[in-house]
């Protein structure tokens, strides 16, 4: 009897291949005297946010993007952050601006997103960029869902005509993910269901799916009993759960990996699946931003 084999997608490998292509784009820009620049702004003492920002800066350095990093006092008034954003909007060396979320409670996140020049909004969260994505004319696709799309493409997972279930409807993952999947474009054309915390029977939806994308922020929400035989399972979730180790915690996804792997045809691990793709697509958007602002054509991967 033949053993069932499940393909475990390697987000690091797919991300590295895209980074190699981005390095060629950066060479083209450098030949035209342009060095792409990404500014990150951190206004938080949160350890996880600090880690995310430093990973982003490190990734920039690796591919030859100029990184500019600013840390603002989390107690400072909103104007301090807005002034910094205004300054970066005007700075010709900065092609992309990323304000690490969450910002402190006394600042309205929407005011921050609205303040960033949409041409430099490499997160793709400015209302103009959200509108363009929905209209099928995206300038910057949000990094995590774009990374998922690239992972599916790398694994030759056809989305056209397939049933996709997205678990989660956040502005940063669920909604843009669903928007990409329904576009009349490559990597789209999927019949897409969006589930959320008020969904009546989640398993009923996922059991009908060819592709499940879990982005709920609930540890191991999707287990093997919810996965149809041969489905593609993409786990966006990154959750810290208590563990009996040195750190006192471990990272788990929104999918119960072992039981889901028994059923899935293709699955992503946590860590090492979607995570590395998110950072790669931030580099992609920064290179795209530089190319558009400086009017230098590059062949994006
Ligand atoms: P949010 O908390 O903003 O959104 C979670 C969504 O999941 C909401 O729409 C919520 O529904 C829905 N949800 C919650 N519980 C359930 C449930 N029991 N059944 C169905 N749906 C549910 O999270 P994010 O979208 O920001 O992030 C999701 C996960 O992805 C997190 O683990 C996060 O850490 C991770 N993440 C990973 C990234 C990466 O690079 N790998 C990048 C970004 C996020 P409702 O709207 O009704 O509240």
């Amino acid at each position: 009897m033949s053993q069932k084999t499940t393909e475990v997608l390697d987000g690091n490998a797919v991300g590295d291949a895209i980074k190699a292509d981005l390095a060629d784009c950066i060479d083209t820009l450098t030949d035209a005297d342009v060095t792409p620049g990404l500014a990150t702004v951190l206004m938080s003492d949160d350890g996880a946010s600090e880690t995310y920002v430093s990973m982003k800066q490190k990734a920039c350095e690796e591919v030859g993007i100029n990184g500019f990093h600013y840390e603002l006092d989390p107690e400072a008034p909103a104007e301090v952050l807005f002034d910094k954003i205004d300054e970066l909007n005007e700075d010709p060396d900065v092609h992309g601006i990323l304000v690490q979320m969450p910002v402190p409670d006394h600042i309205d996140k929407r005011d921050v997103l609205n303040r960033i020049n949409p041409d430099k909004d490499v997160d793709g969260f400015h209302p103009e960029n959200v509108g363009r994505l929905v209209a099928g004319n995206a300038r910057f696709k949000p990094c995590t869902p774009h990374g998922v799309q690239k992972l599916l493409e790398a694994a030759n997972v056809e989305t056209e005509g397939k049933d996709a279930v997205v678990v989660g409807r956040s502005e940063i993952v669920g909604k843009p993910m669903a928007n990409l999947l329904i576009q009349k474009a490559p990597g789209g054309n999927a019949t897409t269901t969006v589930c959320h915390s008020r969904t009546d029977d989640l398993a009923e939806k996922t059991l009908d799916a060819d592709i499940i994308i879990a982005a709920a922020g609930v540890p191991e929400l999707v287990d093997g009993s919810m996965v149809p035989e041969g489905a593609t399972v993409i786990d966006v979730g990154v959750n810290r759960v208590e563990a009996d180790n040195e750190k006192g915690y471990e990272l788990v996804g929104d999918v119960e990996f072992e039981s889901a792997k028994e059923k899935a045809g293709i699955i992503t691990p946590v860590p090492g699946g979607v995570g590395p793709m998110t950072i790669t697509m931030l580099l992609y958007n920064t290179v795209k931003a530089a190319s558009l602002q400086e009017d230098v054509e590059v062949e994006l991967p």
Side-chain angles (χ1 to χ4, degrees):
M1 225 174 80
S2 71
Q3 276 264 304
K4 172 177 159 35
T5 53
T6 304
E7 185 182 351
V8 179
L9 290 183
D10 182 347
N12 283 304
V14 177
D16 284 348
I18 294 175
K19 279 189 215 159
D21 289 340
L22 288 176
D24 292 340
C25 299
I26 293 168
D27 284 345
T28 307
L29 286 162
T30 315
D31 288 345
D33 278 335
V34 174
T35 306
L38 174 72
T40 50
V41 182
L42 178 68
M43 197 173 185
S44 162
D45 293 329
D46 173 53
S49 293
E50 283 169 9
T51 307
Y52 288 140
V53 169
S54 71
M55 282 163 73
K56 289 167 187 174
Q57 284 295 344
K58 191 164 156 266
C60 282
E61 202 181 298
E62 277 168 15
V63 294
I65 291 176
N66 270 341
F68 306 91
H69 180 57
Y70 302 91
E71 291 189 13
L72 306 180
D73 177 0
E75 308 283 321
E79 283 64 36
V80 171
L81 176 57
F82 297 156
D83 288 349
K84 178 52 75 185
I85 293 172
D86 292 347
E87 181 193 312
L88 297 172
N89 281 339
E90 293 301 318
D91 186 339
D93 291 334
V94 171
H95 302 99
I97 302 170
L98 182 147
V99 177
Q100 183 65 42
M101 295 293 162
V103 287
D105 287 345
H106 64 278
I107 301 178
D108 188 335
K109 178 181 140 184
R110 279 165 303 187
D111 292 338
V112 177
L113 301 181
N114 289 343
R115 195 87 178 197
I116 297 172
N117 177 347
D119 291 332
K120 297 191 176 188
D121 167 40
V122 284
D123 260 338
F125 298 152
H126 186 286
E128 182 181 316
N129 286 320
V130 176
R132 290 182 67 127
L133 174 74
V134 174
N137 181 27
R139 181 192 280 128
F140 301 119
K141 296 180 182 176
C143 303
T144 301
H146 194 190
V148 171
Q149 208 177 34
K150 288 286 185 193
L151 264 180
L152 292 172
E153 186 189 309
N156 294 315
V157 175
E158 183 56 80
T159 52
E160 181 166 333
K162 296 291 186 278
D163 289 316
V165 168
V166 179
V167 186
R169 57 175 165 185
S170 73
E171 310 301 324
I172 64 166
V173 189
K175 279 186 194 163
M177 187 73 250
N179 270 313
L180 288 176
L181 287 166
I182 61 170
Q183 293 302 324
K184 204 168 186 174
N189 288 316
T191 305
T192 305
T193 304
V194 182
C195 299
H196 43 76
S197 68
R198 313 295 164 89
T199 296
D200 186 30
D201 186 344
L202 183 61
E204 184 201 19
K205 310 293 179 208
T206 57
L207 282 170
D208 267 344
D210 301 302
I211 302 166
I212 300 169
I213 298 170
V218 179
E220 301 182 328
L221 174 68
V222 177
D223 66 22
S225 73
M226 300 164 74
V227 175
E229 203 64 54
T232 297
V233 179
I234 306 289
D235 190 353
V236 179
V238 180
N239 309 291
R240 273 187 188 196
V241 295
E242 259 184 50
D244 193 12
N245 60 21
E246 229 174 84
K247 284 192 247 168
Y249 70 87
E250 62 179 1
L251 295 182
V252 301
D254 289 351
V255 173
E256 194 182 82
F257 185 79
E258 290 306 329
S259 65
K261 184 167 167 264
E262 291 295 309
K263 306 286 279 302
I266 297 177
I267 192 166
T268 62
V270 176
V274 174
M277 294 301 294
T278 296
I279 295 196
T280 302
M281 301 326 287
L282 174 67
L283 305 177
Y284 178 107
N285 280 350
T286 304
V287 170
K288 185 172 186 184
S291 153
L292 291 173
Q293 283 161 49
E294 307 284 353
D295 205 12
V296 178
E297 220 174 292
V298 294
E299 235 174 273
L300 285 162

